[in-house]
Amino acid sequence: MSNFNDLTDPTDLNDGHDVHDGGQLTEQALRRRHAARGRSATGRAEATCRYVGIPSDAAEVVPTGPASRAAHAVRLSVRALARLPESSPDPAADARCARNASAAAVVAAQMAREHGDTALSEAAFHAAMAASRAAGEAAGRDGMGRDEPLNAKADAAEAAAVAAAKRAGWI
């Protein structure tokens, strides 16, 4: 598993250096943005799994319980993010990768919410759900990974989910 503290803050990604005429981000810049959001969500999921005591080797190809489901979701996210550089940038596919990582973080957050059973855990779970929904919107048919307002919303929701997870003690 990766070190969550080494991950990029997704809200720092749009620095304006990689734009085409008309202010549109290049596909490579969009890839970096989606990948950073995916790494953040994966790191959040990994940290949350550690918080509840789920080891990375709990992943099973066919998950048989909540712990193996969470570990498997994290494993799939890590693999997908590692393979991104092997393909050509594709904003829609890259955004789906970030969306899937965010969904993995929800699986882990669900376990942590049950483990912590506090108002902070409940808030962190809801923030994880909001981040997953926003990532889904950014990756969806209307955004296809290119829509700036949807990407900004997803970045902000991911940052809020990280902050809520930290307040809950998951990170």
Side-chain angles (χ1 to χ4, degrees):
M1 291 191 176
S2 65
N3 181 352
F4 182 78
N5 295 323
D6 294 339
L7 299 178
T8 304
D9 181 349
T11 60
D12 293 336
L13 295 174
N14 190 3
D15 61 9
H17 289 49
D18 294 312
V19 294
H20 284 301
D21 291 334
Q24 294 296 314
L25 287 174
T26 65
E27 287 188 349
Q28 191 60 41
L30 286 167
R31 166 161 282 175
R32 284 194 302 272
R33 186 174 191 177
H34 295 309
R37 190 169 59 246
R39 283 191 308 272
S40 177
T42 299
R44 187 164 44 87
E46 290 174 329
T48 303
C49 283
R50 282 192 300 273
Y51 170 79
V52 296
I54 301 171
S56 60
D57 62 1
E60 298 173 347
V61 175
V62 180
T64 57
S68 63
R69 189 170 40 253
H72 183 67
V74 170
R75 181 193 307 175
L76 291 176
S77 294
V78 168
R79 286 182 181 168
L81 288 164
R83 290 186 180 133
L84 273 183
E86 298 170 5
S87 62
S88 297
D90 178 347
D94 299 343
R96 286 191 302 271
C97 184
R99 175 203 61 205
N100 293 346
S102 192
V106 169
V107 174
Q110 192 170 22
M111 300 250 338
R113 176 179 70 167
E114 294 167 9
H115 182 77
D117 198 26
T118 67
L120 292 175
S121 291
E122 189 68 24
F125 171 73
H126 287 288
M129 291 288 292
S132 184
R133 278 191 302 276
E137 290 173 7
R141 187 176 59 165
D142 293 336
M144 298 293 288
R146 295 180 183 275
D147 185 272
E148 177 52 32
L150 292 177
N151 286 331
K153 180 180 175 184
D155 291 346
E158 176 58 28
V162 168
K166 285 181 180 179
R167 285 190 299 274
W170 300 353
I171 297 174

